[in-house]
Amino acid sequence: MSSLDAFDIAILRILQRDNTTPQRQIGEAVNLSAPSVQRRIRRMENGGVITSNVAVIDPDKVGLPLTIFVQVELVSETPSEIDVMKHRFRDAPEVQQCFYVTGDADFMLVVVVESMAAYEEFTRRVFFQDSNVRKFRTFVSMDAVKTGSGLNV
């Protein structure tokens, strides 16, 4: 995708705040016509700049009040074993986010569950049943000070 111009950046800033903003309203804010805004949004979607349009849900309101950060260290880090773990974490519904990282840990996970009992069941199913997991460290969130997926564009 070609580089983004100032209009694209302005559109992205609006969409990150509220992706339901009408294109006419976006156009007025950035001094473009609604059809021009529509073309630019479509181009950014097709180019992979905009990857999805989602609703952000409050985990407390849907019975998932516990956010846990987990560092996972593997026994063996061959490319095929890394891929197996990526798929395992991607497929686990409790894993909200998963990052393959450098440093002492191999993966950092954000796990969202309804209780510590549910987290224990998750660890038994995902970590203890896999002989390639050397160890994992758990950090329980006490307060979500800042969350979101918006980028500083």
Side-chain angles (χ1 to χ4, degrees), residues 79-122:
S80 63
E81 290 168 323
I82 293 292
D83 288 343
V84 166
M85 293 311 292
K86 286 179 180 180
H87 290 295
R88 175 174 280 239
F89 297 146
R90 193 178 297 125
D91 292 344
E94 300 90 346
V95 176
Q96 183 186 50
Q97 297 179 50
C98 172
F99 299 91
Y100 178 46
V101 298
T102 63
D104 293 336
D106 297 302
F107 288 93
M108 283 293 287
L109 308 177
V110 177
V111 176
V112 180
V113 290
E114 64 268 13
S115 65
M116 283 307 290
Y119 179 65
E120 180 184 9
E121 188 280 322
F122 167 80

Side-chain angles (χ1 to χ4, degrees), residues 38-69:
Q38 181 182 29
R39 281 191 300 276
R40 285 171 176 271
I41 291 172
R42 187 175 302 121
R43 180 177 49 81
M44 289 188 285
E45 288 172 339
N46 292 338
V49 174
I50 298 173
T51 59
S52 64
N53 290 290
V54 299
V56 178
I57 300 168
D58 182 334
D60 289 336
K61 303 278 197 255
V62 294
L64 298 169
L66 197 54
T67 300
I68 301 172
F69 302 89

Side-chain angles (χ1 to χ4, degrees), residues 12-28:
L12 288 172
R13 286 181 177 146
I14 293 168
L15 292 176
Q16 284 190 123
R17 282 192 308 272
D18 182 0
N19 75 341
T20 65
T21 305
Q23 292 174 358
R24 173 194 48 74
Q25 189 175 339
I26 295 171
E28 290 170 4

Side-chain angles (χ1 to χ4, degrees), residues 118-131:
Y119 179 65
E120 180 184 9
E121 188 280 322
F122 167 80
T123 63
R124 289 174 183 262
R125 186 180 80 248
V126 176
F127 301 140
F128 289 117
Q129 290 184 3
D130 191 312
S131 61

